[in-house]
Amino acid sequence: MNVALLAPGALAIASANLELIRGGQRHRIALESEPQSDGSRLLTATTALSHAAHPETGTSGIALSSGLWRMSVVIVGEDGREVRAGVAAATVRTTDGPTLPVSPSPRSGAQFRLMRSVDGLAILKVRAPDHQAELDSFDLRWDRITVRGRLIASHAAPASYAAQAVRRGSGAVVEAPVEWEGDAFTFDLPLAAMASGRRTQRWDVQLQHGRTRLKIARRLTDVRRRNQVFRTSFRIIALENGSLLRVHAYITSAGALAVSCAEFEGAHDGAKEVA
């Protein structure tokens, strides 16, 4: 979080702090006074934010619980007097650019959003991460497609989640063996089981635990149109049985990983060895 506030011009400042308050919880962040070329002063601070129930390893700063946090500035003058004031909410621009004005933490999935109260003051809204499967990457190779991602805010042991490809229309499910390292998962798409003749089949990729099904998707990003930015090409993949597949692994408009595949028309008898 980056803060820049215009300081009162007539007050000689000895110290200043930004306070975040929710119920009986209170956090203080020291503000620095920075003189400007026009004679004014800005009170500035930069700190990392994290969710109290979902800490981020290696991140210093302040941990906040879910809810609405009021913001105020406490200034102590050189004469010892203390002045307390609310923070006016800045206007949030709503341009239709390539990035979103607000995005979740790319590491934990927690959300921190500045809002305006009914009296025009700034409020920080903190929300815990959703239970989700975050796509980190997928590698397009000549003989496989490897998917890598993270389980966010898991409800059970990661090893109890199964990786699946679900065919659109029929609901047919094909599972893939998963390797887990903490909450991080890696698996190869079961392309041999996903192919069904030369007709193109479309599949969604997910993690499944009990009745819970999590589509594997790129959500922790500020990119507005993910399917237009994260673009991939078609790939001809050779399977172990010698057959060739025309495969397209791609990101949908909602950010989910999807795959279309069909047997390659130019290889009626599969891939033949050349002497």
Side-chain angles (χ1 to χ4, degrees), residues 111-188:
Q111 299 180 39
F112 306 89
R113 183 173 184 175
L114 281 174
M115 303 179 64
R116 181 190 296 268
S117 68
V118 292
D119 52 359
L121 297 179
I123 295 177
L124 181 63
K125 182 178 181 179
V126 180
R127 179 179 170 182
D130 295 326
H131 184 206
Q132 58 191 289
E134 175 68 10
L135 174 67
D136 288 335
S137 68
F138 56 93
D139 297 335
L140 302 176
R141 304 180 183 178
W142 297 113
D143 62 344
R144 73 191 69 183
I145 296 178
T146 302
V147 179
R148 294 183 175 86
R150 292 172 291 141
L151 188 60
I152 306 295
S154 59
H155 293 176
S160 63
Y161 289 76
Q164 300 175 334
V166 182
R167 189 166 65 190
R168 295 182 186 176
S170 70
V173 175
V174 179
E175 292 197 354
V178 190
E179 294 182 5
W180 289 95
E181 186 175 347
D183 290 334
F185 58 82
T186 303
F187 64 90
D188 292 335

Side-chain angles (χ1 to χ4, degrees), residues 50-55 63-66:
S50 63
H51 195 279
H54 301 272
L64 303 175
S65 58
S66 296

Side-chain angles (χ1 to χ4, degrees), residues 190-197 235-239 243-247 261-264 267:
L191 295 175
M194 294 165 62
S196 179
R235 176 64 59 90
I236 304 302
I237 291 181
L239 302 180
S243 61
L244 299 178
L245 297 182
R246 187 173 188 264
V247 178
C261 60
E263 291 186 9
F264 189 55

